[in-house]
Amino acid sequence: MTSPSACWHLSYLHRIEYEVVDCPGVLDPHNDALLSVGNREDTGRFVIVDENVYRLRGAGIRNYFAHHRVDARIVAIPGGEQNKSVQTYLSLLTELDSYPIERRAEPIIVIGGGVLTDLAGFVAATYRRGVPHIKVPTTLMAYVDAAVGIKNGVNLNGHKNRLGSFEAPQKVLLDRTFLETLPRRHILNGVCEIVKLAVVADLPLLEMLEADGAGCIASKFQDERGARLLDHSIERMLGELEPNLLEENLSRTMDFGHTFVYGLETAAGCDVLHGEAVLLDVLLSATLAARRGMLSDADLKRILDLVATLGLVVNPVHLDPAELWDSVQERMLHRDGAQRIPLPDGLGKCVFVNDVTMEELQAACKELSMVKQS
Amino acid sequence: MTSPSACWHLSYLHRIEYEVVDCPGVLDPHNDALLSVGNREDTGRFVIVDENVYRLRGAGIRNYFAHHRVDARIVAIPGGEQNKSVQTYLSLLTELDSYPIERRAEPIIVIGGGVLTDLAGFVAATYRRGVPHIKVPTTLMAYVDAAVGIKNGVNLNGHKNRLGSFEAPQKVLLDRTFLETLPRRHILNGVCEIVKLAVVADLPLLEMLEADGAGCIASKFQDERGARLLDHSIERMLGELEPNLLEENLSRTMDFGHTFVYGLETAAGCDVLHGEAVLLDVLLSATLAARRGMLSDADLKRILDLVATLGLVVNPVHLDPAELWDSVQERMLHRDGAQRIPLPDGLGKCVFVNDVTMEELQAACKELSMVKQS
């Protein structure tokens, strides 16, 4: 602290640290990863579990904590975008506040998809100005994307993640076996984010998807190829996140697919999953990039072929250029006044552009809808 | 990031920085401190103002932004503990979300007391996962305590600051002239926090209070002695906060006065201000310390004499040992299972104790109530 004439400058270095760990059998009582942070004796945990997971694994979860003689207040709640609300956030807080936890030694545990890990992360970030938490993703979306970073959030006024914070978990524990019971649509939902990552940042991942993607989807990532593909994807994702963990740089490669169709899944009555909206955005962005000569026709076709090979559903939502343009305007506020739109500059590489026009967007929409029909 | 066998360790160094600045005439159009952070051209600000301040200074505030051609959405709301609620927090967010601001370049400005700076800080910390903010304290409590740190919060379920976060402002601008119109009770409210600081951490400050405190209160800190006393107090406070800005160390000297009577002002129908509750706690803690031989009888008398000299109101709330003990239990959760009670060990010095008993508390209560009656 320095004080020349009653101006005090405060400065503090904060090291943010956390681990993302492959952890098969996370609910096996002999696996103590879930309790590897915090008190072990005479202690309790507040555990937020997706209600589908609880239906399938509730006995295992209860048994795990009983085996370790840890008192667990287990709250099972539904996932789904419509539950990513201030109301759910407040009801979780009220439940948590009625089950006292110590401020540092009894981490909140969340076992669920991206909606739940985002909700629980925000609860943890704001209860008593921050208590620790551990995330166990159970959907592919959470596994490769939502749960491995430090962003949390809830929707407000129909706006996606309008409230939230950056709060590192203590650990993210990755157990692929949760994916085995995931409906195919939710497997594909997560695959869309892997495709996004591959197209804009990782050509080898794109090649893995071309070679093994369909098989991985069929096996729900339960075989060795699935494990390899997920590890590769997560490694790349974390490599993107870590150097810009607090988004001090607003030009983010990982915003690819999150510009034109952003938050479509938040709209009332809209049956679209986040990954499905991202995929639409990826295809539109790729079409735009191709029109600018940044992707060759062959590159664009390669993306569309991959989408077909993987059986990804391009949701037949009407691509309304006016709505897409509104989304760009909104994202510009989030990116501090500039478009900063990530586009692929050749497959697996990214540039940022600030000069996309409404006319260009209209033309790309038209072109994409023709491709989709052909 | 390191990855031995699919365990990724992420690490990121974040430097938290902000300034606390003496800034007389902050609303003078020729003073550009309020706009010294963020865009200056074609820009707007979301401004949260205490409704009493707005009544007295509204024209000046509007004129300030008009002079600088900055569009300002000014929201005037009442202070007071009962408004430090989730409901006010959400209504501010809804209002903010209807007035778009850019994520980094248009800081939220709050002009008000501790309740408002805490509310606005939490709004800023969580809107879009964090937007910048600037605090202008207008009460003595905010000026010397609430607004100069990075903690924000709202009450939940009758529990003080149960929700909140650590979020550094861009700047804290200190303008003593706001104190001139503050009711005497609110001047005294802030003085209680200065007394707390002096008793546990700053003997020279105690001496300043003894010599000049009553005069400062009479002048509402508008004279030179008042300026000197405030600067000294803030310097000491920041010196306490800076090395432990995120409270990684839970044994905090500044928790003195915040253990036994914590959050009394939050109780429904309780006409107590925060500083008044802190003063009660300080006197009880000092009595406890004296009973332990950590303060001499002369030291304890010196504190009580100072309280009388300053005309501080020891609110005649019934000191119920059972309620005080409940407060200790609650604070133990917040201090991760240990009491960590700061007590003065001689005037101006602090130790932490973990072995206060109910019996000891009862005896101290009894002793304090006798002193108060005498």
Side-chain angles (χ1 to χ4, degrees), chain B residues 201-214:
Chain B
D202 195 337
L203 188 55
L205 180 60
L206 193 83
E207 289 160 359
M208 286 174 90
L209 283 168
E210 289 171 328
D212 300 332

Side-chain angles (χ1 to χ4, degrees), chain A residues 12 97 128 162 248 330, chain B residues 12 97 128 162 248 330:
Chain A
Y12 185 78
D97 203 33
R128 291 184 186 277
R162 192 48 53 90
E248 280 156 344
E330 202 295 308
Chain B
Y12 185 79
D97 203 33
R128 293 184 185 275
R162 191 49 52 89
E248 281 156 342
E330 202 294 310

